[in-house]
Amino acid sequence: MRLVGLTGGIASGKSTVSNLFKANNIPVVDADMVARDVLKKGTMGFKKVVKAFGNEILQADGEVDRVKLGQIVFSDPSKRQLLNRLLAPHISMGIFCQILKLWIKGCKVIVLDVPLLFEAKLDKWTKPIIVVWVDPNTQLHRLMARDNSSEHDAKNRINAQMPLEFKREKADIVINNSGSLDDLNEEFRKALFEVTKPLTWIEFGLSRQGALSALMSIIVGLLMSKFFLAARMPNE
């Protein structure tokens, strides 16, 4: 099984690339969607976060107001770290369960879409690592246009994340999204070619098919051993 790491920065276009993988029938485990699930009303993650941040982060329906919570943690690094500590175990378990389900289905290539891939140390479990990169000026203006935010607020959100240039240096594949949508599609096609190459022997061994093949080899080996042992016994 090939577990591909996909990450980027805010307004870099990572979600667009993630959707392109889905459109090409490559299964994607979306950490943001997992995070939404672990923060739903009544879950353990919900209870921990409300206890830590208070009822003022709740909407009228009792669900967490993600926008309000985001404003709190993006303006205070210590609170952002606290939120990450509270939710990290639940998000990790959710990601693992989704990967396991896809493994059971026999998926050979799975894309793990995680904004905090490096911060959460999940990069050591993924190969190759794809970083969706965009130049700083383009990133800033796209974020301002997307969220209708001020330059000051947009810069704060960008600066709250690990520098995109650092992620770029750590990447196996870089998708440059500083240009047009056509440019992005061309960059994606190159990345898709690399991701869908035949599995290595190690990757095949980690797939469901590889595990079943290994199991069958063991069973056949045991049966053959018993057969030869039974065949020798009358002559001893």
Side-chain angles (χ1 to χ4, degrees), residues 116-233:
L116 302 180
L117 185 76
F118 295 106
E119 295 90 332
K121 310 299 182 184
L122 292 175
D123 56 300
K124 61 184 178 181
W125 302 107
T126 58
K127 188 73 176 180
I129 295 171
I130 300 174
V131 170
V132 184
W133 180 86
V134 65
D135 70 80
N137 189 55
T138 301
Q139 181 184 23
L140 175 63
H141 285 90
R142 284 180 180 173
L143 179 58
M144 291 170 62
R146 189 193 74 181
D147 295 350
N148 194 28
S149 60
S150 67
E151 182 175 341
H152 178 267
D153 288 341
K155 284 183 176 179
N156 280 343
R157 296 194 70 183
I158 292 173
N159 292 334
Q161 297 185 334
M162 179 182 288
L164 195 49
E165 198 60 36
F166 173 84
K167 296 183 179 183
R168 183 185 189 183
E169 294 173 358
K170 292 281 189 178
D172 298 304
I173 300 171
V174 176
I175 294 180
N176 187 340
N177 188 28
S178 299
S180 66
L181 185 58
D182 287 338
D183 293 334
L184 175 61
N185 284 325
E186 181 60 30
E187 292 274 321
F188 173 76
R189 281 193 289 271
K190 295 176 183 177
L192 182 63
F193 175 78
E194 294 296 325
V195 165
T196 54
K197 283 182 176 180
L199 300 184
T200 65
W201 282 109
I202 293 176
E203 289 172 332
F204 177 74
L206 294 173
S207 69
R208 190 192 69 170
Q209 293 87 344
L212 291 175
S213 296
L215 180 61
M216 288 302 298
S217 297
I218 292 172
I219 292 173
V220 170
L222 290 173
L223 292 175
M224 292 298 292
S225 296
K226 289 184 178 180
F227 172 79
F228 285 119
L229 181 61
R232 288 179 57 189
M233 286 182 65

